[in-house]
Amino acid sequence: MIIRGDEPEQIRLLRKLYKKGNYFMQGNEAVAYGALFAGCRFYAGYPITPSSEIAETMAKELPKLGGYYLQMEDEIASIAAMVGASWTGFKVMTATAGPGFSLMQENLGYAVMTETPLVLVDVQRSGPSTGQATKGAQGDFFQARWGTHGDHPIIAVSPTSVEDSFWETVRAFNIAEKLRTPVVVLFDGIIAHARERIRIPDPEEVEVTYRKLPANEEEAKLPFGDPHGDGVPPMPLFGHGYFTHVTGSTHKENGLRDVYTPEVHDRLVRRIHRKIEQNKHVYEKYEEYFTDDAEILVVSWGVTARPSLGAVLKAREEGIKVGLFVPKTVHPFPGERVRELSKKVRAILVPEMNLGQLILEVQRFVNDDVLLKGVNKIGGVPLTVEEILREIRGVA
């Protein structure tokens, strides 16, 4: 069952179960409710700290909406079940943390190659390995981008608050459906376990996007073609009468395997890249604060964007002209906008809860005449306003 075609009943149920209004909610719960409002009706997962409350909430709420929750034996099976369910028409999600994210990488690549829409939430925690299991971190920035092998594009979004977690999860689903691709929600254990006020909207306030289906038999015969020129093939669904072949091996437009012809591989992988590159308007999103007259720029993401904004506000009170840039879609990184902003400033600071990952993306778009400095902290404790403010004063 998918929500498409069943909207009146689904909206009635959502309104009945989750009254519009203000709630005090955990970040992990907000992700789960965002998924439910976006139309997710299938979740397969394996609990792992600090993401487990997402699975608990989905297990409790999905049956009320006619959806399904599957407790899997591990993370590999979880993402495999999601791929299968997505091809039957479900909007699907799973959630994990660092060690589980590592186990999911092979099938994440399979989802990229088979152009399977799904949402994968990685609640980052301190690593490597099992690290600090209950502590938040931002060390998976590049794992989200390059964790699976081969040439592949990936889209990852990163919320900055509990309420933002609801809406960024909705956005992740809409991007996944629109572009027929997996989308990572690069979350963190701090916001995941924070409790804040969140406004649950009326269901009709939530924009819900559906994947493109074949308009006719001819389109259904080419599940990996490009009949509309946007790089996004219509997706025939299992159980709807089509003979669809899906493989992670190189395949032709009709889905049949061809691992020997160079042109087939080139055409397939270049189109998968092109559909992301030419549809930037679907996923690119960032926020700017005080960048018009900034002489110093702070670039930060996820949970660290919060103390970064606090530090920028305090620095402004001291007369320091500093601005803040927050990418909400972190992959593909909105580097061209950073390049434009870098031409107006003399220093860029990049606070993050790792030993320097986002800063490497920023570095690709900044000239050498701009001072570029990381503000890094690990150990499961977030950066404070004072720590970032001290660095701003140091380059002012």
Side-chain angles (χ1 to χ4, degrees):
M1 184 200 73
I2 56 175
I3 194 171
R4 176 161 39 193
D6 191 31
E7 289 93 339
E9 176 61 10
Q10 291 291 326
I11 288 172
R12 186 191 71 79
L13 284 172
L14 287 168
R15 278 198 183 122
K16 178 183 175 183
L17 294 168
Y18 318 117
K19 304 292 185 189
K20 173 183 174 181
N22 293 324
Y23 293 81
F24 195 58
M25 189 179 290
Q26 191 190 67
N28 275 339
E29 295 169 330
V31 166
Y33 287 109
L36 295 174
F37 274 69
C40 177
R41 294 296 178 268
F42 183 90
Y43 182 102
Y46 184 81
I48 180 172
T49 303
S51 74
S52 297
E53 292 85 357
I54 297 175
E56 291 170 6
T57 306
M58 296 301 278
K60 183 179 67 174
E61 302 299 331
L62 269 173
K64 300 175 185 174
L65 292 159
Y68 298 89
Y69 173 90
L70 282 186
Q71 171 64 57
M72 304 305 293
E73 65 269 33
D74 58 33
E75 289 86 350
I76 299 171
S78 299
I79 188 169
M82 290 222 300
V83 170
S86 182
W87 274 92
T88 70
F90 279 102
K91 292 186 179 183
V92 301
M93 182 177 81
T94 191
T96 188
F101 195 38
S102 297
L103 291 171
M104 291 183 178
Q105 290 300 326
E106 182 176 1
N107 275 334
L108 179 60
Y110 181 86
V112 170
M113 191 63 154
T114 57
E115 302 179 72
T116 304
L118 57 83
V119 172
L120 197 173
V121 183
D122 173 29
V123 185
Q124 298 172 92
R125 71 186 205 188
S126 290
S129 190
T130 44
Q132 296 172 288
T134 62
K135 303 294 186 183
Q138 293 182 298
D140 300 350
F141 182 82
F142 279 121
Q143 187 186 24
R145 176 65 191 91
W146 298 112
T148 193
H149 62 280
D151 286 323
H152 65 90
I154 200 75
I155 296 173
V157 306
S158 187
T160 56
S161 71
V162 170
E163 177 142 6
D164 200 32
S165 305
F166 177 97
W167 290 105
E168 285 300 296
T169 303
V170 171
R171 192 166 75 91
F173 271 96
N174 287 344
I175 296 169
E177 292 288 314
K178 182 80 174 177
L179 299 183
R180 202 183 133 179
T181 190
V183 174
V184 176
V185 177
L186 207 45
F187 206 27
D188 64 78
I190 295 168
I191 300 176
H193 283 170
R195 288 190 179 274
E196 294 177 335
R197 191 176 73 168
I198 172 175
R199 177 182 171 275
I200 293 294
D202 182 85
E204 291 196 288
E205 295 177 43
V206 179
E207 179 185 354
V208 174
T209 300
Y210 299 105
R211 69 193 64 172
K212 192 194 308 179
L213 300 180
N216 50 51
E217 289 288 335
E218 291 306 309
E219 286 192 358
K221 292 176 182 174
L222 299 173
F224 301 95
D226 186 13
H228 305 143
D230 58 358
V232 185
M235 185 173 178
L237 303 179
F238 289 176
H240 286 241
Y242 303 121
F243 295 98
T244 305
H245 188 256
V246 180
T247 173
S249 297
T250 293
H251 44 271
K252 297 180 285 191
E253 285 79 357
N254 62 7
L256 295 182
R257 189 170 179 266
D258 181 349
V259 298
Y260 297 109
T261 309
E263 291 78 10
V264 170
H265 186 81
D266 183 280
R267 194 165 61 241
L268 171 63
V269 175
R270 286 187 189 275
R271 181 185 56 73
I272 291 174
H273 275 261
R274 190 177 71 250
K275 78 172 178 180
I276 303 301
E277 292 163 0
Q278 74 182 26
N279 287 296
K280 189 182 293 185
H281 62 283
V282 174
Y283 58 81
E284 187 167 86
K285 182 180 178 184
Y286 50 78
E287 294 176 353
E288 294 185 24
Y289 303 84
F290 311 110
T291 54
D292 287 348
D293 65 347
E295 297 172 356
I296 300 167
L297 182 67
V298 176
V299 180
S300 194
W301 63 291
V303 62
T304 309
R306 300 167 60 121
S308 295
L309 179 57
V312 166
L313 291 171
K314 283 187 173 291
R316 282 267 161 183
E317 290 174 1
E318 296 176 10
I320 302 172
K321 291 184 176 180
V322 55
L324 174 64
F325 181 84
V326 181
K328 304 303 289 287
T329 300
V330 294
H331 298 303
F333 183 67
E336 291 305 322
R337 183 55 184 155
V338 171
R339 189 197 306 278
E340 292 172 13
L341 292 172
S342 72
K343 293 175 182 174
K344 303 190 299 181
V345 302
R346 53 187 166 77
I348 297 177
L349 299 176
V350 185
E352 50 186 333
M353 287 181 64
N354 56 46
L355 293 181
Q357 297 195 21
L358 172 66
I359 192 171
L360 298 178
E361 280 288 75
V362 175
Q363 191 176 41
R364 295 198 299 128
F365 297 93
V366 176
N367 292 331
D368 291 340
D369 56 351
V370 177
L371 172 65
L372 179 60
K373 184 178 182 183
V375 183
N376 308 104
K377 190 173 184 179
I378 56 175
V381 181
L383 281 154
T384 66
V385 169
E386 284 302 320
E387 287 169 333
I388 299 170
L389 179 59
R390 186 165 59 241
E391 297 295 333
I392 293 173
R393 288 177 183 141
V395 297

